């Protein structure tokens, strides 16, 4: 039997030099008076004796590339004895028979660029010496309360003894202004990974569109998506949403258990993750092959709003302009359809559009589907910059029991979402391979049916 073929060639893997360059960039921000402490993710139990598939913490992986759970990284810019110290699980031949090989301290140094490596049980004893003379400690407080307590206890002990020894850290700082700002701007290697994830995810959406028909189950369409991802060494970057009919009015619908009706629209929000980088695509298409009159009217408004928003994704433009552009088009559309009544500016000022458009127009995308990075700087909407990647995803949703509009509109939920790379020129739509005009969507479905 021949193995299923990849549709696309994968990008070059990220090597040790990539992670080292990231640490050098972080050192420029943190400075030699700072330290960064990052924990790896832990394995999460699924049910008795079974764990969910392990996925590394994005911050930890970004800085180290180390793939195992439970580890702790301490990054010390300018330290003469070595800047990256990793605390890892010890080698354990018996556990490795059951759970797989471990890198151990030797592997952490040899394969992942650690200047110094210890087993996890040495962390509390080693930490005071590592933090001695460091003014600031950058951590993500609240994510791991048990580790937070150990760090704060260490700092407190150091302060109590600082009169007789090296200076203790003065402040615990978050990662938003350091590591997360670095993650917001994607390198060429990261863009290559995201472009690959986007192309494969687009092919997965096309497969689902080709498979749609009245009577199919939502989970069967999800299976079409996931099969394409798996053939490319990918997995879903988040819980796939396959929502038929009024289910599309539930923004984070993940049951995926209903049957698709003849006159239903099907909203699929799904994206694959490739080696830590995810895509995020939404399309809404007709199970019967053609949009009904009311569905078409709403769809065209959402598509126009998305295009207006995409046009704002340019270096130097405030991020808030994207949402404002989409909101204006959607609100005018709601007035034209008779869902709202009044002046568009006044309706937006009063928030009336949120009856049927209740979410933002986009979010940062990268290693996390809702990626890190601030949207406002010094109280103002930050400007887009080359290397940022954002989703653009306006939508309109009329709950099936909403009596404020005519019955013919009820139960319609439509969202259109693409991933857009900010460049020094035109917006680069990474997910543009998936049809989204009504004519193109209908033609694709028709071609699949002969």
């Amino acid at each position: 039997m021949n193995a299923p073929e990849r549709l696309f060639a994968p990008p070059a893997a990220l090597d040790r030099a990539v992670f080292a360059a990231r640490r050098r960039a972080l050192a420029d921000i943190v400075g030699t008076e700072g330290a960064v402490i990052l924990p790896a993710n832990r394995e999460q139990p699924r049910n008795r004796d079974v764990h969910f598939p392990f996925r590394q913490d994005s911050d930890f992986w970004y800085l180290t590339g180390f793939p195992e759970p439970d580890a702790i990284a301490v990054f010390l810019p300018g330290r003469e004895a070595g800047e990256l110290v990793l605390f890892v699980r010890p080698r354990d031949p018996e556990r490795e028979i059951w759970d797989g090989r471990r890198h151990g301290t030797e592997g952490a140094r040899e394969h992942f660029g650690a200047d110094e490596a210890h087993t996890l049980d040495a962390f509390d004893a080693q930490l005071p010496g590592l933090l001695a003379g460091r003014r600031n400690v950058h951590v993500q407080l609240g994510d791991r309360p048990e580790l937070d307590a150990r760090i704060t206890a260490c700092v407190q002990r150091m302060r109590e003894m600082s009169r007789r020894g090296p200076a203790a850290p003065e402040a615990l700082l978050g990662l938003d202004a350091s590591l997360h700002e670095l993650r917001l701007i994607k390198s060429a290697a990261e863009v290559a990974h995201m472009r690959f994830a986007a192309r494969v995810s687009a092919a997965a959406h096309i497969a689902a569109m080709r498979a749609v028909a009245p009577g199919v189950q939502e989970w069967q369409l999800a299976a079409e998506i996931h099969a394409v991802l798996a053939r490319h060494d990918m997995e879903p970057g988040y819980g796939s949403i396959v929502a038929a009919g009024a289910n599309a009015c539930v923004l984070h619908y993940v049951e995926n258990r209903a049957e698709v009706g003849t006159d239903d629209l099907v909203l699929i929000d799904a994206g694959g993750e490739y080696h830590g980088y995810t895509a995020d695509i939404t399309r809404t298409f007709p199970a019967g092959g053609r949009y009904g009159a009311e569905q078409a009217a709403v769809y065209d408004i959402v598509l126009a709003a998305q295009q207006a928003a995409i046009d704002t994704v340019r270096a130097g433009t405030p991020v808030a302009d994207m949402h404002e552009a989409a909101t204006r088009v959607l609100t005018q559309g709601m007035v034209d359809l008779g869902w709202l009544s009044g002046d568009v500016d006044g309706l937006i000022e009063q928030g009336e559009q949120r009856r049927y458009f209740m979410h933002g127009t986009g979010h940062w995308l990268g290693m996390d589907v809702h990626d890190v990075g601030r949207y406002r700087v010094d109280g103002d909407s930050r400007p887009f910059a080359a290397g940022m990647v954002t989703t653009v995803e306006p939508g309109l949703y009329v709950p099936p029991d909403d009596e404020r509009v005519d019955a013919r509109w009820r139960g319609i939920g439509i969202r259109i979402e693409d991933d857009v790379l900010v460049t020094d020129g035109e917006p680069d739509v990474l997910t543009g391979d998936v049809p989204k005009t009504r004519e193109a969507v209908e033609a694709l479905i028709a071609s699949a049916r002969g």
Side-chain angles (χ1 to χ4, degrees):
M1 178 183 294
N2 293 327
E5 293 184 1
R6 290 178 182 261
L7 298 174
F8 312 105
L14 303 180
D15 58 19
R16 284 178 55 175
V18 170
F19 298 100
R22 291 171 175 174
R23 293 194 294 271
R24 288 195 299 271
L26 182 60
D28 290 340
I29 298 174
V30 172
T32 57
E33 292 186 335
V36 179
I37 302 177
L38 288 171
N41 263 341
R42 291 175 167 172
E43 291 182 304
Q44 298 297 323
R46 182 183 185 276
N47 58 308
R48 187 176 180 87
D49 295 330
V50 177
H51 289 85
F52 285 104
F54 179 72
R55 202 275 192 185
Q56 188 57 278
D57 174 80
S58 296
D59 283 336
F60 183 89
W61 188 86
Y62 183 88
L63 197 65
T64 70
F66 191 74
E68 294 182 12
D70 299 329
I72 303 172
V74 182
F75 180 54
L76 303 155
R79 179 173 178 257
E80 291 185 5
E83 295 183 329
L84 179 62
V85 182
L86 286 180
F87 295 86
V88 302
R89 300 180 303 178
R91 296 294 306 273
D92 185 334
E94 182 176 351
R95 288 313 316 165
E96 290 179 48
I97 290 173
W98 291 92
D99 302 326
R101 295 182 179 88
R102 299 179 179 183
H103 289 285
T105 55
E106 182 177 344
R109 291 189 298 269
E110 181 177 349
H111 301 300
F112 298 97
D115 299 297
E116 187 177 318
H118 305 275
T119 54
L120 281 162
D121 57 6
F123 177 74
D124 291 313
Q126 292 286 333
L127 189 60
L130 295 175
L131 296 185
R134 300 280 161 167
R135 175 175 294 181
N136 302 314
V137 180
H138 297 252
V139 292
Q140 194 72 329
L141 290 172
D143 286 353
R144 291 278 292 277
E146 180 270 338
L147 180 61
D148 293 348
R150 293 164 69 186
I151 295 171
T152 53
C154 172
V155 171
Q156 183 59 37
R157 288 194 302 271
M158 292 177 66
R159 288 173 178 171
E160 292 171 355
M161 300 176 66
S162 61
R163 293 181 181 178
R164 293 171 289 169
E170 298 175 5
L172 298 179
L173 304 178
L175 296 173
D176 287 350
S178 53
L179 185 59
H180 291 174
E181 284 296 292
L182 284 181
R183 283 181 52 188
L184 181 57
I185 304 297
K186 274 59 180 181
S187 67
E190 290 179 296
V191 169
H193 276 60
M194 296 190 69
R195 196 178 298 279
F196 179 76
R199 294 189 71 189
V200 175
S201 299
H205 274 261
I206 289 171
M209 287 182 177
R210 294 178 64 85
V212 75
V216 74
Q217 304 295 314
E218 291 171 342
W219 55 265
Q220 290 176 301
L221 297 178
E224 296 288 333
I225 295 272
H226 299 161
V228 175
L229 300 182
R231 289 211 309 271
H232 292 81
D233 190 23
M234 292 171 59
E235 58 187 359
Y238 53 97
S240 299
I241 296 169
V242 182
N247 292 337
C249 297
V250 180
L251 299 182
H252 290 165
Y253 174 83
V254 291
E255 294 177 21
N256 300 348
R257 305 301 302 174
E259 181 176 297
V260 177
T262 301
D263 298 322
D264 281 350
L265 292 178
V266 179
L267 184 156
I268 295 185
D269 185 339
E273 178 181 296
Y274 180 73
H275 293 196
Y277 292 87
T278 192
D280 186 1
I281 305 173
T282 306
R283 292 292 187 267
T284 309
F285 50 94
R290 295 189 65 84
Y291 295 90
E294 287 77 16
Q295 295 169 345
V298 179
Y299 190 93
D300 288 347
I301 292 169
V302 175
L303 184 58
Q306 196 212 28
Q307 188 55 59
I310 289 174
D311 286 343
T312 70
V313 183
R314 301 170 185 272
T317 301
V319 172
D321 285 12
M322 177 175 67
H323 184 62
E324 292 172 5
T327 298
R328 179 162 295 278
V329 174
L330 293 175
T331 305
Q332 182 63 62
M334 287 183 251
V335 171
D336 295 341
L337 296 179
W339 300 1
L340 298 177
S341 178
D343 172 72
V344 168
D345 289 333
L347 290 168
I348 293 173
E349 185 176 348
Q350 297 165 25
E352 292 297 313
Q353 79 283 356
R354 288 197 288 270
R355 292 185 193 175
Y356 308 111
F357 175 48
M358 61 290 294
H359 58 76
T361 299
H363 52 78
W364 303 132
L365 186 69
M367 297 179 68
D368 300 317
V369 67
H370 288 176
D371 210 26
V372 294
R374 292 173 291 178
Y375 294 90
R376 301 185 68 82
V377 177
D378 296 328
D380 296 321
S381 176
R382 79 181 304 158
F384 283 117
M388 296 175 175
V389 181
T390 182
T391 65
V392 184
E393 51 178 305
L396 287 173
Y397 318 87
V398 184
D401 58 354
D402 191 328
E403 297 183 355
R404 292 173 292 188
V405 300
D406 192 85
R408 62 197 174 110
W409 305 111
R410 297 173 196 166
I412 293 178
I414 294 173
R415 181 165 65 254
I416 306 170
E417 177 182 20
D418 282 296
D419 307 339
V420 183
L421 170 67
V422 184
T423 74
D424 289 323
E426 295 293 311
D428 185 353
V429 181
L430 303 178
T431 49
D433 290 347
V434 197
K436 63 180 175 182
T437 66
R438 284 193 291 112
E439 295 77 13
V441 171
E442 291 174 350
L444 173 61
I445 296 173
S447 71
R449 297 176 181 178

